[in-house]
Amino acid sequence: MTNLIRKLWVPVMTLMAITGMGQMPIFKRYYVADIPGLAWLGEPFTVHWVHYAGAAVLMFMVAVITIRWFADREPLTTSGTLRITLLALLICTGYIRVVKNLPDIHFSPTFTMLIDWTHLLFAMLLGVAALWSARTGRRSYTKQTESLRRI
Amino acid sequence: MTPPTGTHMRKHSVIESTPNSPLSRRPSFSRRSFLKVFSAAGAAACASAAKPAEAQNTEKQEELMTVLDISKCVGCGECVAACKESNAHKYPTVRKPIPKMFPPRVKVEDWSDKKDVDDRLTPYNWLYIQTAELEHDGEDFELNIPRRCLHCTNPPCANLCPWGAALKEDTGIVRIDEDICLGGAKCRTVCPWHIPQRQSGAGLYLDLLPRFAGNGTMLKCDRCYDKIAEGKEPACITACPEDIQTIGPRSMMIKHAKALAASMNGYIYGLDENGGTNTIYVSPVPFEKINNAIEKGRGRPNLAPVKNSMANEETLTSALIAAPLAGIAAGVLKIFSDARKEKQND
Ligand code: SF4
Ligand code: SF4
Ligand code: SF4
């Protein structure tokens, strides 16, 4: 299963990044949604649903990896700790936003804005951290084994 | 306000008030009693401040709802004028020349020289009167329907705003912070009635990348949130000579709307639309017929049935709860099966 997760990790994270960016109405503006097969990126509700569905897949993968990590307790690398922290913050703010979108639940305007902005900020920081790790050969999350490498 | 064409009055009323009919009495939550209702709610809030935290958590302030009896609207436009006058200080200041957009397919929307337009929703006209001439049960009607944001209970405009500029308050008011809004108009796209209206050349985007991101600021009825905060009622309600609007706590207003509809053998719109709104229209004529008779288009919303826009998100939330639990179960099973295999190999 870890192999499958390893294969799915980058595509799922890419989907989350694209649908996350797609929450801003930029794909229609900049002709991306005009590309055959990508019209859905210009549909606000579809992009929102795909972001939710992608998040569910991601949460399944994160849960499996977390349980496995608790079993092995392999020490994390610095770059691994950084990316995992940012991902955890991204997940927390994402879940808060999901709860806010339920009927009868709403948060104060300031808190909502704080969640929106920090979710965006953590996503950008995670993107930068992921690129930096890849470019400097710091892809591994753990120090000892290959089991979680490059996920 | 340009005088609407025609008399804009019901040609034949189906509700002839008799001394004992529910309509002959003032609705229990008339605009004049709003302050009482609202200050009572305020007093309850103050009283709860003195209670232990535990007790306070269980007391939730009810959202405000308005009920519009469109059988009484004469289309005089007093409400439209009052809205403009009362909210003029919130209208955007446009910096000209408005930057050209990139790419050129992005169009500037400038209403700053057309502030007097009042036959549709614009950034400077948050309320307008729709007219429907129709026949129902052998009677002719000319109905006037004041149209503005319905203040949805789970508003897609606020939920899908990526920037936190569109928001819902505890009072149930849905409004857009014009200082934060970038004018991408996603709120208008996802609103089933396409209510928010854009004014280019104003707002935060001018200080960021004006040519490349954003396109102004979005404006719509904010239910006079500043007046509500002071315990006053919205300007359009105060101004109406026919007292067609009633405002109060949601549960009371629902009862009032249902009783009103029953009294005129009428119909309601807004209670279930888009998963529920905090505006209910009550009419003696089915809304399907009204929807066919009104002029619809940009800035002129329909009165058609509307499904809950947020229904899929609500379903997907269950998947978001189930997914990590399934992942934990799968991870634990894998650990046990790996351990068993290792044992067998030994
Ligand atoms: S009517 Fe439209 S603008 Fe008003 S709260 Fe509902 S979705 Fe938002
Ligand atoms: S509630 Fe206030 S902002 Fe909304 S239409 Fe009435 S006067 Fe205008
Ligand atoms: S002021 Fe009252 S009667 Fe006149 S148009 Fe507005 S809602 Fe109708």
Side-chain angles (χ1 to χ4, degrees):
Chain A
M1 185 158 40
T2 320
N3 276 342
L4 180 66
I5 290 176
R6 194 181 297 167
K7 277 187 198 137
L8 279 178
W9 188 262
V10 173
V12 170
M13 289 303 277
T14 309
L15 182 76
M16 293 308 286
I18 290 170
T19 52
M21 282 199 303
Q23 300 306 314
M24 319 228 190
I26 52 172
F27 290 139
K28 202 165 187 177
R29 176 169 181 160
Y30 287 105
Y31 301 93
V32 178
D34 293 349
I35 299 168
L38 294 185
W40 64 275
L41 283 173
E43 305 281 338
F45 276 114
T46 313
V47 178
H48 206 226
W49 299 331
V50 176
H51 199 64
Y52 267 61
V57 176
L58 182 67
M59 285 317 300
F60 176 84
M61 301 196 303
V62 167
V64 172
I65 295 165
T66 309
I67 291 295
R68 291 205 45 110
W69 182 82
F70 271 113
D72 300 339
R73 305 249 175 183
E74 292 169 9
L76 298 171
T77 60
T78 311
S79 99
T81 309
L82 175 70
R83 283 173 289 158
I84 287 168
T85 307
L86 288 171
L87 183 61
L89 290 166
L90 197 55
I91 289 170
C92 288
T93 47
Y95 265 104
I96 296 173
R97 198 63 178 76
V98 164
V99 169
K100 193 227 151 252
N101 286 353
L102 289 172
D104 303 325
I105 297 179
H106 62 277
F107 303 138
S108 80
T110 317
F111 185 65
T112 307
M113 207 180 294
L114 185 78
I115 291 300
D116 279 349
W117 288 19
T118 49
H119 192 66
L120 186 66
L121 176 74
F122 295 140
M124 291 196 302
L125 291 177
L126 181 59
V128 171
L131 284 177
W132 165 75
S133 309
R135 287 186 71 96
T136 56
R138 292 181 173 88
R139 286 185 174 203
S140 183
Y141 280 78
T142 57
K143 283 180 181 162
Q144 288 171 6
T145 72
E146 295 282 317
S147 64
L148 296 175
R149 197 153 281 180
R150 275 193 273 129
I151 58 171
Chain B
M1 162 101 187
T2 319
T5 52
T7 59
H8 293 262
M9 291 188 67
R10 278 175 303 138
K11 285 177 182 161
H12 298 284
S13 166
V14 284
I15 330 144
E16 293 308 333
S17 302
T18 62
N20 293 324
S21 82
L23 277 178
S24 65
R25 282 175 258 127
R26 296 186 67 77
S28 11
F29 315 107
S30 74
R31 64 185 174 92
R32 291 187 230 298
S33 62
F34 163 75
L35 291 180
K36 265 186 263 161
V37 172
F38 199 66
S39 30
C46 293
S48 72
K51 289 182 189 164
E54 201 185 317
Q56 283 185 40
N57 288 341
T58 57
E59 281 177 29
K60 204 175 155 228
Q61 185 194 352
E62 253 206 284
E63 292 181 359
L64 287 174
M65 179 183 243
T66 49
V67 175
L68 292 93
D69 176 358
I70 62 172
S71 71
K72 292 203 295 186
C73 177
V74 295
C76 65
E78 290 293 330
C79 53
V80 178
C83 177
K84 273 181 183 281
E85 196 189 319
S86 173
N87 292 301
H89 65 284
K90 299 172 191 164
Y91 294 161
T93 312
V94 179
R95 274 192 247 162
K96 292 196 176 174
I98 297 175
K100 277 208 175 108
M101 295 286 114
F102 179 86
R105 65 147 57 165
V106 183
K107 299 283 175 255
V108 157
E109 288 179 49
D110 182 15
W111 287 90
S112 58
D113 297 328
K114 294 176 278 182
K115 289 183 186 162
D116 292 338
V117 171
D118 63 3
D119 60 352
R120 56 161 285 172
L121 298 173
T122 79
Y124 302 91
N125 196 56
W126 304 349
L127 167 68
Y128 87 106
I129 309 297
Q130 245 172 0
T131 309
E133 281 187 45
L134 41 79
E135 184 259 308
H136 177 59
D137 279 349
E139 290 188 81
D140 291 329
F141 287 88
E142 187 166 322
L143 294 171
N144 302 292
I145 312 118
R147 296 306 304 273
R148 49 144 173 88
C149 168
L150 285 91
H151 299 275
C152 302
T153 51
N154 196 21
C157 58
N159 288 339
L160 269 74
C161 171
W163 199 233
L167 48 96
K168 183 177 167 184
E169 296 186 343
D170 289 341
T171 49
I173 291 173
V174 182
R175 65 185 184 88
I176 299 169
D177 187 331
E178 64 270 23
D179 294 331
I180 304 281
C181 176
L182 296 176
K186 193 177 171 190
C187 51
R188 179 171 61 191
T189 310
V190 300
C191 167
W193 298 277
H194 310 299
I195 298 283
Q197 300 292 316
R198 172 156 60 195
Q199 174 60 51
S200 302
L204 186 62
Y205 89 113
L206 289 175
D207 302 321
L208 302 170
L209 296 165
R211 286 202 63 201
F212 305 101
N215 189 4
T217 185
M218 305 301 294
L219 295 114
K220 70 167 192 74
C221 158
D222 59 15
R223 192 163 268 177
C224 295
Y225 72 96
D226 42 351
K227 283 184 179 287
I228 295 275
E230 290 170 10
K232 295 179 186 160
E233 62 184 14
C236 56
I237 300 184
T238 312
C240 178
E242 302 294 323
D243 253 1
I244 86 142
Q245 289 198 62
T246 319
I247 187 166
R250 184 176 166 82
S251 57
M252 282 189 195
M253 288 297 101
I254 292 175
K255 274 188 207 148
H256 166 55
K258 286 185 173 169
L260 186 60
S263 72
M264 65 170 87
N265 202 13
Y267 304 84
I268 58 178
Y269 183 87
L271 181 58
D272 298 320
E273 269 59 41
N274 200 23
T277 80
N278 274 320
T279 299
I280 297 184
Y281 290 98
V282 181
S283 156
V285 177
F287 283 92
E288 206 183 342
K289 282 194 174 177
I290 303 179
N291 188 44
N292 290 335
I294 53 175
E295 197 184 330
K296 300 176 285 283
R298 282 169 183 251
R300 297 188 176 106
N302 64 38
L303 277 165
V306 173
K307 281 194 194 144
N308 181 6
S309 312
M310 297 302 294
N312 283 349
E313 277 79 356
E314 286 163 23
T315 310
L316 283 164
T317 301
S318 316
L320 274 166
I321 296 165
L325 299 177
I328 290 170
V332 170
L333 283 176
K334 180 85 170 96
I335 288 165
F336 277 121
S337 85
D338 285 355
R340 208 173 42 230
K341 271 184 210 154
E342 244 171 62
K343 225 178 185 180
Q344 279 166 0
N345 289 346
D346 289 346

